[in-house]
DNA sequence: TCGAATGAAAC
DNA sequence: GTTTCATTCGA
């Protein structure tokens, strides 16, 4: 999508038929064409530029554009056409993922050849494995569609013509993932958005309605669920954050560890860095008019973080409906600040609960920073938090209003909601300030990120001191809180913090009656990071974290005061750590993504699970590619990151495996019992066989039309195709019949696996044609040669799975999967195999992914069994 | 700019 | 049913 697409785009300008329309716009506008080029270089810029361009393009037409916007679909289509690339299908994902491998194996092979091989691999790929890609593709598509409601795969050629004017309109939304509907309205917003991430931006613009701060398309996709959910806001934001947060906490670390942390960590860090970088960029770029939207996005994230943390607090302290939070959070950014100001009571300042939240965040961020894994993200958070704090604390001048108001609000309204709102407002204000600050003060960032917790403390102190006396108290409070949070992060820091905190807290108590609240607030700080977790598991984790943090930092030093809570936390913590945590881990391990996916598609996108899975030790190349892409797509941001994560999480299969399979396939040709079985199984699985048939027939037809020897073709079909026949039978008949025949009689044909099916697009079928003898045309021969060579070249047996293992983040899952359905094994399972599978299933029942896969397999099994029996 | 593959969608 | 187009990147 990214690089390639862009690369294509330029050509697009000149393009051809269907696409042309959209490209027309691009072509139309010289800028667009440039943009397309630029695209490859800088995604963010691209997006922005595109957005700008679009308006430019449409510029005059804006009015019409709007109209067009009304006709979202068309517009979207157009816009989509321009930018949005249709989501990749499973095969493409597979290709993308494995092409590098193929190339490695066969350096001289060009992409075509590689594609052929990939096709073969794909054909050989077990359904289970395919399913992974299929699921991914589906999710990807779903997310894409959600992001781009009106998106149409095939641009209506006619449309483009009709609405050149409209096209411009559409442009705004399109960008990468064209977001149809809303974008039209807010070209400006859309523009803004684009900067950070094309996807996210779009989301923001579009999704923003919620103001959720759509981190990414994916997130948007997940919005539905989230919105419905009680804690939607928290969940969404949490997703991205969760990773970072997770890092900070031991539990998360463990999980990470279980997952392929090493591989993942780098990626995450990079992504985070990117994301971190992007926001400021947005701010700067968006800076002016539309800066808010952008800010909001970034801010939103922060806010979400804060909210999440606070929500957690709220939950702990006050049991108010989370929904209120979410709603409040959503709305607040724009409106509430003012309200707060109105409400503003000076008294509240001491409470500084809001401030505490940020501080908490900071602490959490610092803690995260301490973790090697997620320094960057944490750094961002830290920045923001620090900024927020600063704003609140130091900046009272400019933005004091908000923080104060927030505080005031809190006082006025004891309700969590009000607090949340106030927090939100404060956050926003802070964020604004922070953004500026960030731009202005890179140093702090650097400091904060590297120093982590430590840096945070000094900062706050310095700033707070500057502020007024009253505020100083608050600041102290905050500081203490922060320290506490930090303490959680590091023991040493904790000790200090404890001392400080204890003193401070006491002072607070005396000064303020709301000590309890504060305490509760203070505790939450740890949670802030954690709260985000979209899923229960995450929540649990967050709780754990909370408890842990309290226990460690507070319990030890403060123990006396917060004894109850600390105790609770300790208990909970222990429980969680022992039981829950394991469960969490198990989930992670087992599920990789499978389990998660099963649960929620939408959520899945954001889920850590994706990240968790197999980043990579196995395939540096792939990662590299993805990374490189990432670079190109940097702008895309989280969405893409997630996508990439997921994509990376997709299992890569070592060539060895395929070679084996391939060999098996080849064997098939000769004598195919087992191989045929595989194929058959494949055929049974899905429509694929039918498609193949159709395609094959098509090809045949084509050949006939175009040329040469219809008879030969037919013959070929027949000769080859006992398989085809079997397939057709399979379709018509029960699978069993299919299986049986295969079992019994080796079909001479290979299934037309892969490459041979479709082959030539209209024009070039010749190479496909087989001679009457069944011998393959030169091209095919080459192909077959390659396959055979490859097979020969590579020692099949040794490590088919090794790579896979590498690929799999979770050894357990891998093992289980392997045991159950090793890729090597043909789809067809012996009874013994089935029995094993069943056993596995029972054993792992907890694990969804496996279970599902097994089930699938089992589903097939009956037929197989019958065959086997026979 | 084509092409090699598969799959999904549109026509 | 047929056509487009998504990815990749060497010719």
């Amino acid at each position: 999508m990214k690089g390639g697409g862009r690369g294509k785009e330029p050509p697009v300008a000149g393009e051809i038929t269907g696409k042309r329309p959209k490209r027309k716009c691009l072509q139309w506008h010289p800028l667009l064409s440039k943009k397309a080029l630029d695209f490859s270089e800088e995604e963010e810029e691209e997006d922005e530029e595109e957005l700008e361009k679009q308006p430019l393009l449409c510029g005059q037409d804006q009015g019409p554009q709007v109209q067009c916007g009304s006709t979202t679909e068309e517009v979207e289509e157009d816009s989509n056409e321009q930018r949005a690339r249709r989501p990749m299908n499973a095969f493409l994902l597979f290709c993308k993922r494995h092409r590098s491998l193929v190339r490695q194996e066969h350096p001289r092979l060009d992409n075509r050849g590689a594609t052929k091989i990939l096709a073969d691999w794909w054909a050989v790929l077990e359904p289970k494995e395919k399913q992974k890609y299929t699921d991914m593709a589906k999710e990807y598509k779903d997310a894409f569609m959600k992001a781009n409601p009106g998106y149409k795969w095939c641009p209506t050629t006619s449309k483009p013509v009709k609405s050149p004017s409209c096209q411009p309109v559409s442009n705004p939304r399109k960008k990468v993932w064209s977001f149809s509907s809303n974008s039209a309205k807010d070209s400006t917003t859309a523009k803004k958005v684009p900067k950070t991430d094309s996807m996210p931006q779009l989301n923001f613009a579009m999704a923003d309605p919620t103001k959720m701060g759509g981190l990414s398309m994916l997130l948007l996709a997940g919005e539905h669920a989230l919105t419905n959910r009680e804690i939607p806001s928290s969940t969404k934001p949490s997703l991205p954050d969760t990773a970072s947060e997770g890092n900070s906490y031991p539990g998360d670390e463990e999980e990470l560890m279980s997952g392929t942390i090493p591989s993942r960590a780098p990626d995450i860090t990079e992504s985070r860095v990117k994301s971190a970088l992007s926001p400021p960029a947005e701010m700067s770029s968006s800076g002016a008019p539309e800066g808010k939207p952008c800010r909001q996005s970034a801010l939103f994230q922060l806010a979400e973080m804060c909210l999440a943390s606070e929500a957690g607090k709220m939950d702990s302290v006050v049991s108010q409906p989370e929904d209120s939070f979410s709603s409040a959070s959503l709305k607040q950014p724009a409106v509430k600040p003012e309200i707060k100001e109105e409400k503003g009571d000076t008294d509240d300042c001491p409470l500084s609960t809001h401030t505490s939240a940020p501080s908490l965040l900071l602490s959490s961020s610092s803690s995260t920073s301490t973790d090697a894994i997620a320094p960057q993200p944490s750094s961002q958070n830290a920045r923001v938090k620090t900024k927020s704090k600063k704003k609140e604390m130091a900046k009272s001048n400019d933005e004091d209003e908000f923080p104060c108001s927030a505080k005031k609000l809190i006082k006025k309204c004891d309700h969590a909601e009000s607090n949340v709102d106030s927090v939100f407002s404060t956050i926003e204000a802070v964020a604004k300030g922070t953004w500026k600050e960030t731009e202005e003060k890179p140093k702090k960032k650097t400091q904060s990120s590297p120093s982590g917790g430590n840096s945070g403390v000094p900062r706050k102190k310095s700033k707070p001191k500057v502020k007024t006396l009253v505020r100083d108290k608050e600041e102290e409070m905050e500081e203490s809180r922060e320290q506490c949070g930090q303490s959680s992060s590091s023991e040493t820091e904790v000790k200090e913090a404890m001392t400080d905190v204890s003193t401070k807290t006491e002072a607070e108590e005396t000064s303020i009656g709301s000590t309890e609240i504060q305490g509760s607030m203070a505790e939450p700080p740890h949670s802030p990071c954690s709260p985000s977790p979209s899923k229960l598991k995450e929540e649990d984790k967050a709780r754990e974290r909370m408890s842990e943090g309290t226990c460690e930092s507070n319990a030890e030093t403060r123990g006396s005061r917060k004894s109850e809570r600390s105790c609770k936390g300790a208990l909970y913590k222990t429980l969680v750590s022992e039981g829950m945590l394991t469960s969490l881990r198990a989930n992670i391990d087992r599920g990789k993504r499978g389990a998660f996916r099963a649960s929620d598609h939408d959520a899945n996108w954001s889920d850590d699970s994706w990240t968790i899975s197999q980043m990579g030790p196995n395939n540096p190349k792939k990662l590299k590619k993805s990374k490189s892409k990432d670079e190109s797509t940097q702008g895309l941001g989280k969405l893409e990151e997630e996508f990439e994560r997921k994509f990376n999480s997709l299992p890569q299969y070592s060539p060895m495996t395929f070679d084996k399979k391939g060999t098996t396939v080849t064997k098939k040709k000769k004598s195919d019992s087992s191989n045929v079985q595989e194929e058959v199984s494949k055929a049974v699985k899905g429509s694929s066989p039918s498609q193949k048939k159709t395609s094959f027939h098509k090809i045949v037809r084509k050949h006939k039309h175009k040329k040469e020897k219809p008879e030969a073709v037919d013959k070929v079909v027949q000769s080859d195709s006992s398989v085809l026949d079997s397939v057709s039978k399979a379709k018509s008949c029960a699978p069993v019949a299919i299986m049986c025949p295969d079992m019994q009689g080796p079909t001479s044909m290979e299934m037309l696996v892969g490459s041979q099916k479709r082959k030539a697009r209209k024009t070039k079928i010749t190479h496909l044609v087989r001679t009457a003898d069944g011998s393959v045309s030169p091209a095919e021969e080459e192909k077959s040669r390659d396959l055979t060579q490859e097979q020969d070249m590579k020692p099949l047996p040794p490590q088919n799975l090794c790579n896979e293992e590498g690929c799999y983040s979770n050894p357990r899952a891998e093992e289980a999967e392997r045991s159950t359905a090793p890729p090597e094994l043909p789809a067809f399972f012996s009874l013994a195999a089935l029995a094993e599978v069943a056993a596995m299933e029972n054993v792992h029942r907890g694990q969804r992914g496996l279970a599902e896969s097994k089930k699938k397999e089992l589903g097939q099994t009956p037929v197989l069994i019958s065959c086997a029996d026979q």
Side-chain angles (χ1 to χ4, degrees):
Chain A
M1 297 199 34
K2 313 159 183 177
R6 288 161 192 169
K8 288 181 178 179
E9 287 181 354
V12 168
E15 290 176 338
I16 313 168
T17 61
K19 293 179 180 177
R20 305 314 156 50
K22 40 175 170 175
R23 291 176 180 169
K24 288 180 179 178
C25 285
L26 293 178
Q27 290 178 347
W28 237 34
H29 213 334
L31 293 178
L32 283 178
S33 63
K34 287 182 181 178
K35 289 180 179 179
L37 295 177
D38 292 353
F39 237 140
S40 59
E41 294 177 356
E42 295 177 356
E43 293 176 355
E44 292 177 354
E45 290 180 358
E46 291 177 355
D47 293 348
E48 291 177 355
E49 289 178 356
E50 288 178 353
L51 292 177
E52 291 177 357
K53 289 178 179 180
Q54 292 174 345
L56 292 177
L57 292 178
C58 295
Q60 295 172 348
D61 297 345
Q62 289 177 346
Q65 289 177 350
V66 173
Q67 294 174 348
C68 294
S70 63
T71 59
T72 56
E73 292 179 351
E74 293 178 353
V75 172
E76 290 177 354
E77 290 177 353
D78 295 349
S79 65
N80 289 344
E81 291 175 355
Q82 291 176 347
R83 291 303 160 111
R85 303 232 183 275
R86 56 168 66 174
M88 291 181 282
N89 61 30
F91 175 72
L92 286 176
L93 289 173
F94 177 83
C95 288
K96 187 175 181 180
R97 181 105 174 122
H98 292 86
R99 180 169 253 108
S100 61
L101 292 178
V102 172
R103 292 191 70 99
Q104 286 181 351
E105 290 184 358
H106 307 282
R108 27 178 209 176
L109 224 60
D110 63 349
N111 283 320
R112 294 179 188 177
T115 302
K116 289 180 181 178
I117 292 172
L118 287 170
D120 291 341
W121 286 12
W122 180 251
V124 174
L125 201 62
E126 290 183 358
K128 207 177 162 186
E129 272 103 28
K130 278 188 180 178
Q131 187 61 33
K132 293 176 183 177
Y133 285 88
T134 302
D135 293 345
M136 169 81 175
K138 183 178 181 182
E139 290 181 4
Y140 188 60
K141 186 184 77 172
D142 291 345
F144 179 86
M145 293 306 292
K146 287 182 180 179
N148 307 302
Y151 183 86
K152 293 181 181 177
W153 268 242
C154 299
T156 58
T157 56
S158 63
K159 289 181 180 179
V161 173
K162 71 175 177 184
S163 61
S165 63
C166 291
Q167 291 177 347
V169 173
S170 63
N171 295 345
R173 89 176 137 63
K174 294 181 178 177
K175 305 252 160 165
V176 176
W177 303 51
S178 59
F179 201 24
S180 60
S181 59
N182 298 344
S183 60
K185 292 179 180 177
D186 301 345
S187 61
T188 58
T189 57
K191 291 179 180 179
K192 292 180 179 178
V193 172
K195 291 182 179 178
T196 55
D197 295 347
S198 62
M199 297 298 291
Q201 291 173 349
L202 293 178
N203 292 345
F204 287 99
M206 297 306 292
D208 288 351
T210 59
K211 295 180 179 177
M212 294 305 288
L215 297 177
S216 65
M217 300 282 295
L218 298 179
L219 292 178
L220 287 177
E223 283 183 356
H224 297 292
L226 294 176
T227 56
N228 292 344
R229 293 178 185 177
E230 291 178 354
I231 309 170
S233 64
S234 64
T235 56
K236 290 180 180 178
S238 66
L239 292 178
D241 293 348
T242 52
S244 63
E245 291 177 356
N247 294 344
S248 64
Y249 295 88
D252 292 352
E253 290 179 354
E254 290 178 355
E255 292 175 352
L256 292 176
M257 293 299 292
S258 64
T260 56
I261 295 171
S263 64
R264 173 186 176 183
D267 293 351
I268 293 168
T269 56
E270 290 180 353
S271 64
R272 290 177 182 177
V273 172
K274 291 178 181 178
S275 63
L277 294 177
S278 65
E282 287 180 353
M283 292 305 292
S284 63
S285 66
S286 63
E290 296 172 352
K292 280 191 174 181
C294 296
R295 290 180 183 176
Q296 287 178 347
S297 65
L299 291 176
F300 274 103
Q301 293 176 352
L302 293 176
E304 288 176 351
M305 299 279 299
C306 295
L307 291 176
S309 64
E310 283 195 356
K313 295 177 180 179
M314 294 299 294
D315 293 349
S316 63
V317 176
V318 178
S319 65
Q320 287 184 342
E322 293 175 351
D323 294 352
S324 64
F325 285 95
S326 65
S327 64
S329 64
L330 295 176
K331 294 176 179 178
Q332 287 179 344
V335 177
K336 290 188 177 178
E338 294 177 355
I339 295 169
K340 292 178 181 177
E341 291 178 355
E342 292 176 355
K343 291 179 180 178
D345 295 346
T346 56
D347 295 349
D348 298 7
C349 294
L351 295 176
S352 72
T353 55
H354 297 291
T355 56
S356 66
S359 64
L360 293 175
L361 293 176
L362 290 174
S363 64
S364 64
S365 66
S366 64
S367 64
T368 55
S369 65
T370 56
D371 295 347
I373 297 171
Q376 295 175 343
S378 63
S379 67
Q380 289 181 342
N381 293 344
R383 295 181 192 167
V384 174
K385 293 176 181 178
T386 56
K387 292 177 180 179
S388 63
K389 290 179 180 178
K390 291 180 179 178
K391 289 180 179 179
E392 292 176 353
M393 301 300 290
K395 288 185 177 179
S396 59
N397 296 341
D398 294 348
E399 295 176 351
D400 287 352
E401 295 174 351
F402 292 99
C404 292
S405 65
K407 293 177 180 178
K408 292 176 180 179
L409 291 176
I410 294 170
K411 289 181 178 179
K412 287 182 176 180
C413 300
D414 295 346
H415 300 290
E417 292 179 353
S418 64
N419 292 341
V420 173
D421 293 348
S422 63
V423 171
F424 229 127
S425 63
T426 54
I427 294 168
E428 289 179 352
V430 171
K432 291 178 181 178
T434 55
W435 288 102
K436 293 177 181 178
E437 289 180 354
T438 56
E439 293 176 354
E440 294 176 356
K441 302 176 182 177
K443 292 179 181 179
K444 289 182 178 178
K445 293 179 180 178
T446 57
Q447 291 175 348
S448 65
S449 63
S451 63
N454 293 343
S455 65
V457 173
R459 294 176 187 172
K460 290 180 179 179
K461 288 180 180 178
S462 64
K463 290 181 179 179
K465 289 178 180 178
V466 173
K467 294 178 181 178
T468 61
L469 298 175
V470 175
R471 290 179 182 176
D472 291 352
K473 288 182 180 179
E474 293 177 353
E475 290 177 355
E476 289 177 352
M477 296 294 290
E478 292 178 352
E479 290 179 354
S480 64
R481 292 174 184 174
E482 290 178 354
Q483 290 175 349
C484 294
Q486 292 176 348
S487 65
S488 63
S489 63
S490 63
E491 293 178 354
T492 57
E493 291 178 355
V494 171
K495 290 179 180 178
E496 293 177 354
M498 290 180 65
T499 57
D500 294 347
V501 170
S502 62
T503 58
K504 292 178 180 179
T505 53
E506 289 176 355
E508 290 178 354
E509 288 177 353
T510 57
S511 64
I512 299 165
S514 65
T515 54
E516 291 178 354
I517 295 169
Q518 290 177 348
S520 64
M521 293 302 290
E523 290 178 355
H526 300 290
S527 64
C529 296
S530 62
S532 62
S534 60
K535 294 179 180 179
L536 296 177
K537 294 178 181 178
E538 291 178 353
E539 291 177 354
D540 293 345
K541 290 179 181 178
R543 291 179 183 177
E544 291 179 354
R545 294 176 184 174
M546 296 287 293
S547 63
E548 291 178 354
T550 55
C551 294
E552 294 177 354
S553 62
N554 295 343
E556 293 176 355
T557 57
R558 297 179 184 176
S560 61
R561 279 194 182 172
K562 297 179 179 178
S563 61
E564 292 179 355
R565 291 181 183 177
S566 62
C567 292
K568 253 194 196 173
L571 292 175
Y572 187 88
K573 177 182 178 180
T574 53
L575 294 175
V576 171
S577 62
E578 293 177 354
M580 298 299 286
L581 194 64
T582 55
S583 66
L584 292 175
R585 276 196 197 165
N587 291 340
I588 294 170
D589 293 350
R590 51 171 130 143
K592 292 186 174 182
R593 64 176 176 285
F596 291 96
R597 287 181 181 178
S599 63
D600 295 346
H601 294 288
D602 296 351
N604 290 345
W605 283 95
S606 61
D607 281 353
D608 295 350
S609 62
W610 288 95
T611 58
I612 294 169
S613 62
Q614 321 108 337
M615 292 301 294
N618 296 345
N619 307 329
K621 283 187 177 179
K622 292 177 180 179
L623 292 177
K624 282 185 177 179
K625 287 184 177 180
S626 63
K627 288 180 180 179
S628 63
K629 289 180 180 179
D630 291 349
E631 291 177 355
S632 63
T633 54
Q634 289 175 344
L636 296 181
K638 294 179 180 178
L639 222 184
E640 287 188 355
E641 288 179 359
E642 289 180 355
F643 171 79
E644 288 181 357
R645 289 178 187 177
K646 290 183 179 180
F647 175 79
N648 289 337
S649 68
L650 289 174
Q652 278 185 336
Y653 303 96
S654 65
M656 300 298 292
T657 336
F658 292 103
D659 290 348
K660 276 189 178 179
K661 292 179 180 178
T663 56
T664 58
V665 172
T666 56
K667 288 179 181 178
K668 277 190 199 170
K669 293 179 181 178
K670 296 177 182 177
S671 64
D672 13 11
S673 56
S674 63
N675 292 336
V676 170
Q677 293 174 349
E678 287 182 353
E679 291 178 354
V680 171
S681 63
K682 293 179 182 178
V684 171
K685 284 184 178 179
S687 62
S688 62
S690 65
Q691 291 178 346
K692 291 181 180 179
K693 272 179 73 176
T694 56
S695 62
F696 183 85
H697 290 293
K698 290 180 181 178
I699 294 169
V700 172
R701 291 177 184 174
K702 291 181 180 178
H703 288 294
K704 289 180 181 178
H705 291 291
K706 289 182 178 178
K707 60 169 133 144
E708 308 178 352
K709 310 170 177 174
E711 291 179 356
V713 172
D714 293 345
K715 289 180 180 177
V716 172
V717 172
Q718 292 175 347
S719 63
D720 289 352
S721 67
S722 45
V723 173
L724 291 177
D725 293 352
S726 65
V727 172
S728 61
K729 288 179 181 177
K731 291 179 180 178
S732 62
C733 301
V736 172
I738 297 169
M739 292 302 291
C740 296
D742 292 347
M743 294 296 292
Q744 295 173 346
T747 59
S748 61
M749 294 224 11
E750 318 157 343
M751 303 273 303
L752 291 177
V753 176
S755 57
Q756 296 175 343
K757 311 169 186 171
R758 223 191 219 167
K759 255 186 207 142
R761 285 183 167 191
K762 341 165 173 178
T763 59
K764 311 176 176 173
I765 300 162
T766 58
H767 59 291
L768 293 178
V769 177
R770 291 191 179 188
T771 62
D773 345 339
S775 64
V776 179
S777 64
E780 287 183 353
E781 287 181 354
E782 289 179 354
K783 201 172 151 191
S784 62
R785 289 179 190 173
D786 292 346
L787 293 176
T788 56
Q789 288 177 351
E790 291 176 356
Q791 294 171 349
D792 295 348
M793 294 297 289
K794 299 172 182 177
L796 304 176
Q799 303 164 337
N800 298 344
L801 299 180
C802 295
N803 292 345
E804 290 179 356
E805 287 179 356
C807 293
Y808 291 95
S809 61
N810 299 337
R812 296 178 185 175
E814 282 188 359
E815 291 177 355
E817 289 180 355
R818 290 181 182 175
S819 63
T820 56
E824 299 173 356
L825 295 178
F828 176 85
F829 292 89
S830 64
L831 293 176
L834 293 175
E836 287 182 354
V837 172
M840 293 297 292
E841 204 175 6
N842 292 339
V843 172
H844 296 285
R845 215 152 252 247
Q847 300 174 346
R848 275 190 204 154
L850 295 177
E852 290 180 353
S853 62
K854 291 175 182 178
K855 288 179 180 178
K856 291 178 181 178
E857 293 177 355
L858 292 176
Q860 293 177 347
T861 57
V863 173
L864 295 176
I865 293 169
S866 62
C867 294
D869 293 348
Q870 292 177 351

